Amino acid sequence: MNIHEYQAKSLLKKYGVAVPRGGVAYTPQEAETVARELGGPVWVVKSQIHAGGRGAGRFKGNPEGKGGVRVVKSIEEVGKNAGEMLNNVLITKQTGPEGREVKRLYVEEGADIKRELYLGLLTDRATGRVTIMASTEGGMEIEEVAHNTPEKIVKVAIDPATGVQGYHTRKIAFALGLEGKQVGSAAKFITAAYKAFIDLDCAIVEINPLIVTGAGDILALDAKISFDDNALFRHKDIEELRDEAEEDPYEIEAAKHSLNYVKLDGNIGCMVNGAGLAMATMDIIKLYGGEPANFLDVGGGATKERVTAAFKLILSDSNVEGILVNIFGGIMRCDVIAEGVVAAAREVHLHVPLVVRLEGTNVDLGKKILAESGLPILSADNLADAAEKVVKAVKEAA
Ligand code: ADP
Ligand code: MG
């Protein structure tokens, strides 16, 4: 789960991470009120969407205009810029071409930026540890830095038994070219960010940019936090920060039925049990020249209701022009799947070709249910056959 910048900053602040002062606003009037309370002389009006690259982004219909992060010098300008951003669609490198509608703003005091640095914390699967990454190349996408100038990134893996130690923070501070009292401030900053990361079960904490101000202070000018969904049950207060408007409506629906669903751009919907088989199914669809519309793992113990929900979910995506159901009945029984498929196909008045490949427990009964349903279901014998059939059926229907 992701949260907005202002929420991330507020959480980090509680742990002692230094952030500028600011306040959230939903209307231009609120933005002006926040700005007045902060006092000037410089404010920054920041679009709150769950995507980065806002500063360099552009609003839909106004490609020549200003971006989603604006530095202004009067209360009137705060209101004016807030009005230009709110309820408009911001397109950034991370939003994709459709962009995201800006519903909230963060009005922040303007910082006197001397240097822009990068600090990120994430779980590194290779070391099995929380890794702190830092770079002097702040403000840019870290992926680009990693690609073009990997030597400019320093990484420190933290032993969970000891936590962050002085030598870790010194290594990072020196790599960032910090000096004097900044080394101590950085140590406090990094230690606080690490504590937040662990306490809140984060997957990513990214501060980009981390700045050094003209006065030599260290501040988080931007903040992104992603939480480990599997640990959210331990953090009811964080769950409340969820902004469903920022999430994929299909994935919200899937989560309600405990389905593992990821929407993709293709036109062949897939319903599979098991993540590995689901990946293999997407691969083989591509091998036969098709494009999967989604990843969907219905899980091992799916019920008829869950299968029906999965089926409806796939069909609610208007890009779907064909469906491939690929089930290996191990724990899952093929007849249960077949019943779910038939019930769902009837309920939604199936209008696209459906190919079903069943194998495993009760496969004959499953096939019989499909055959006797009277629905135009194409039965397949193996994975390759199934993929070939669905790709062909979609092409023919087009
Ligand atoms: P994004 O990464 O989505 O573009 P940021 O919060 O990183 O958004 O802002 C983009 C840039 O805007 C920053 O790199 C910084 O130069 C500037 N900026 C952001 N917040 C402030 C602020 N409070 N004061 C001064 N400049 C800011
Ligand atoms: Mg940023």
Side-chain angles (χ1 to χ4, degrees):
M1 185 185 106
N2 296 324
I3 56 173
H4 290 291
E5 173 199 1
Y6 76 93
Q7 297 167 325
K9 282 180 169 167
S10 145
L11 286 172
L12 290 171
K13 191 177 171 194
K14 283 188 196 147
Y15 282 87
V17 174
V19 298
R21 294 179 307 131
V24 66
Y26 294 82
T27 64
Q29 292 73 28
E30 281 176 21
E32 289 190 13
T33 306
V34 173
R36 226 170 267 122
E37 280 164 10
L38 289 172
V42 180
W43 298 267
V44 183
V45 187
K46 308 183 78 174
S47 302
Q48 298 297 290
I49 56 170
H50 285 188
R54 296 163 300 166
R58 287 297 172 262
F59 283 89
K60 198 169 184 173
N62 191 10
E64 307 302 322
K66 289 186 265 175
V69 175
R70 301 184 187 175
V71 179
V72 299
K73 294 198 171 123
S74 72
I75 302 275
E76 297 73 58
E77 277 183 279
V78 169
K80 180 171 165 283
N81 283 279
E84 288 170 12
M85 293 193 218
L86 281 167
N87 303 319
N88 284 312
V89 174
L90 180 60
I91 302 165
T92 81
K93 243 178 148 179
Q94 291 183 10
T95 61
E98 70 282 3
R100 293 274 178 82
E101 192 173 333
V102 177
K103 295 281 191 193
R104 315 176 189 196
L105 298 172
Y106 190 47
V107 181
E108 199 171 58
E109 59 185 346
D112 169 21
I113 305 172
K114 197 161 159 222
R115 298 181 63 209
E116 293 203 351
L117 310 170
Y118 174 94
L119 184 75
L121 290 82
L122 70 161
T123 32
D124 176 1
R125 294 184 199 289
T127 56
R129 292 184 173 182
V130 174
T131 293
I132 304 179
M133 295 203 314
S135 172
T136 50
E137 307 306 294
M140 315 195 218
E141 270 184 75
I142 197 67
E143 291 81 0
E144 258 169 51
V145 181
H147 185 258
N148 300 329
T149 47
E151 70 282 0
K152 289 190 174 163
I153 298 177
V154 57
K155 287 185 195 171
V156 179
I158 307 298
D159 185 332
T162 64
V164 173
Q165 301 287 302
Y167 70 92
H168 293 135
T169 60
R170 279 193 296 277
K171 182 172 174 187
I172 294 167
F174 295 143
L176 292 177
L178 300 178
E179 48 199 23
K181 68 165 190 175
Q182 294 164 7
V183 178
S185 312
K188 183 169 171 263
F189 190 105
I190 295 165
T191 309
Y194 178 80
K195 174 121 176 53
F197 187 99
I198 299 294
D199 273 13
L200 301 174
D201 291 310
C202 299
I204 296 172
V205 170
E206 189 177 62
I207 314 289
N208 189 18
L210 167 80
I211 61 154
V212 181
T213 67
D217 294 324
I218 287 174
L219 278 180
L221 217 57
D222 190 6
K224 168 183 169 165
I225 300 186
S226 283
F227 298 96
D228 179 348
D229 289 344
N230 296 310
L232 273 178
F233 72 97
R234 307 206 280 204
H235 306 284
K236 296 288 175 236
D237 48 336
I238 284 171
E239 183 95 62
E240 277 166 21
L241 302 178
R242 188 181 282 274
D243 181 358
E244 288 206 343
E246 287 285 336
E247 297 184 6
D248 183 313
Y250 298 105
E251 289 177 22
I252 294 173
E253 185 60 23
K256 280 188 199 147
H257 300 282
S258 316
L259 299 164
N260 296 310
Y261 175 91
V262 180
K263 188 172 154 21
L264 301 168
D265 297 330
N267 57 356
I268 299 177
C270 319
M271 181 163 90
V272 189
N273 66 328
L277 191 57
M279 296 295 283
T281 305
M282 298 194 309
D283 280 349
I284 204 159
I285 287 174
K286 285 199 83 116
L287 185 67
Y288 281 94
E291 288 292 335
N294 64 276
F295 166 94
L296 173 60
D297 167 17
V298 289
T303 58
K304 186 175 142 192
E305 287 68 35
R306 207 196 273 181
V307 171
T308 311
F311 213 78
K312 281 197 206 158
L313 186 65
I314 293 174
L315 280 170
S316 63
D317 174 356
S318 59
N319 292 336
V320 168
E321 293 171 359
I323 298 180
L324 172 53
V325 174
N326 182 17
I327 302 289
F328 180 79
I331 301 170
M332 184 87 143
R333 289 178 3 229
C334 292
D335 54 316
V336 171
I337 290 286
E339 276 175 11
V341 168
V342 169
R346 288 228 167 87
E347 214 178 311
V348 299
H349 306 292
L350 183 68
H351 54 280
V352 296
L354 169 63
V355 176
V356 181
R357 178 257 178 172
L358 290 178
E359 198 54 77
T361 312
N362 288 1
V363 62
D364 294 334
L365 186 55
K367 285 190 172 164
K368 187 159 166 266
I369 292 168
L370 294 178
E372 287 174 359
S373 70
L375 292 164
I377 297 171
L378 297 164
S379 194
D381 296 323
N382 56 50
L383 247 165
D385 184 36
E388 204 173 351
K389 275 187 176 144
V390 74
V391 171
K392 188 160 162 260
V394 165
K395 284 209 177 112
E396 279 168 3

